[in-house]
Each structure stands twice: as structure tokens, then as C-alpha cells.
Amino acid sequence: MTMGWHMVMGFEPSLIGCYIWDQNHSFEMVRNSRECVINVPTVDLGTKVVGIGYSSGRDIDKFAEFRLTAVPGTHVGAPLIEECYASFECKLNDAKLIPTYSMFVFEVVKAHVAVSPKYPRTMHYRGDGVFMLSGTKFRRLFKPQNL
Ligand SMILES: Cc1cc2nc3c(=O)[nH]c(=O)nc-3n(C[C@H](O)[C@H](O)[C@H](O)COP(=O)(O)O)c2cc1C
């Protein structure tokens, strides 16, 4: 599934909070297996990102439909998407917020990140059919210890 609602919730361990609507096919799959892979696409995959967000794994095999390559994970049963810039293998760390907020708190147990480019053009959903592309750098304003 395509997911726009997510946030970092901790560094050590590395935690990511994700909103997964309870009507999504992914909801029960992730809740039952207690694991997932979060794949980070670049803008060249934009059409597939939207298509994946408008179709359900209940009806189609999205890897076949969108011509994406499933790669086995090393720490979880869910596959990685080879075409994505980064893939984070995750295990469910905290299920308490699922019944009230559909909020899954995952721990990243293995990160796979391409070595180049250093600053990929990743897409971030703003809502209303509009994405932001990464690229604007404010790095020089940061203290070294905060990078
Ligand atoms: C740009 C975009 C962002 C989305 N963000 C989320 C999200 O954060 N959480 C969510 O539950 N669904 C989100 N969706 C909707 C799911 O991707 C969609 O319901 C999908 O069909 C679920 O697939 P599944 O039934 O195979 O799990 C988003 C869809 C799009 C197009």
C-alpha cells in the first residue's frame, strides 16, 4: 500500500509511527504478522506510487500489476521492493495505539539504502493529490552534533 501518514518516533531504537486504515488489506496482514517493509520510492516511480494507493492487494498482485521486483528480506517475511531507493525491514514495537488510532509503531530492524545519489528525489505526500519532492537543503544551518 501507499502510505503518506508516517513519522519518526525514536532514534535508538529506530521507531516509525504509521497510520494504516483498518479497511486496507494491509491492515490485517501487518497486524497478524507483526512485521512489514517500508519502501521509499523516488519520483520516477510516482505513477506506480499513486496506482498502488488506488488498488488493493485483495484484488490484484501489485508486484505483477506494477512491474515491481520483490526481494526477500533478511529479518522479516515481507518482501522489499528492489526498485525503491531505501527499504526498512520493520517489526511491530507497540500495538497499543492500533485499536484507537490505527497507529502502528514499528522498529526498524534492518535498513537497506542505495549508495547514490546522496540526496535522492523522494516524494512526500501533502494531500489533495500533491506531493513535495525532496531537494531543498538547509544543512548548513544545523549543528554538527544534530546531523
Ligand atoms: C498518496 C497516497 C497516500 C496514502 N496514504 C495512506 C496512509 O498514510 N495510510 C493509509 O491507511 N492509506 C493511505 N493511502 C491509501 C492506501 O494506499 C489504499 O487504501 C490502498 O488501496 C490500500 O491497499 P491494500 O488494500 O492493498 O492494503 C494512501 C493513498 C495514496 C494514493
Side-chain angles (χ1 to χ4, degrees):
M1 60 167 275
T2 299
M3 183 182 59
W5 290 9
H6 51 75
M7 64 177 161
V8 170
M9 294 181 73
F11 284 114
E12 285 183 26
S14 172
L15 300 179
I16 303 178
C18 301
Y19 170 81
I20 305 178
W21 183 37
D22 64 4
Q23 298 303 302
N24 287 346
H25 183 56
S26 304
F27 181 90
E28 286 302 341
M29 288 178 74
V30 175
R31 192 162 71 162
N32 293 336
S33 66
R34 300 180 68 85
E35 55 187 37
C36 73
V37 176
I38 299 173
N39 296 281
V40 181
T42 41
V43 65
D44 50 298
L45 294 173
T47 306
K48 298 184 189 215
V49 167
V50 176
I52 288 165
Y54 279 103
S55 55
S56 179
R58 259 186 221 104
D59 311 317
I60 57 166
D61 174 347
K62 295 193 200 180
F63 279 97
E65 180 78 20
F66 295 100
R67 296 173 186 271
L68 293 168
T69 314
V71 177
T74 54
H75 291 57
V76 301
L80 285 59
I81 300 176
E82 187 175 72
E83 288 77 6
C84 284
Y85 178 81
S87 299
F88 302 116
E89 296 186 42
C90 297
K91 289 195 186 279
L92 189 62
N93 175 278
D94 191 337
K96 282 198 293 292
L97 298 175
I98 298 173
T100 40
Y101 296 108
S102 285
M103 167 68 82
F104 291 67
V105 180
F106 294 111
E107 177 179 347
V108 178
V109 292
K110 176 74 184 170
H112 307 261
V113 182
V115 289
S116 73
K118 190 170 179 190
Y119 298 110
R121 302 209 76 202
T122 52
M123 326 168 49
H124 307 272
Y125 193 47
R126 286 184 51 164
D128 199 30
V130 177
F131 291 85
M132 296 182 296
L133 300 186
S134 65
T136 310
K137 290 181 223 144
F138 289 94
R139 209 164 183 271
R140 65 191 162 75
L141 303 179
F142 282 70
K143 296 174 184 165
Q145 64 269 29
N146 296 132
L147 288 171

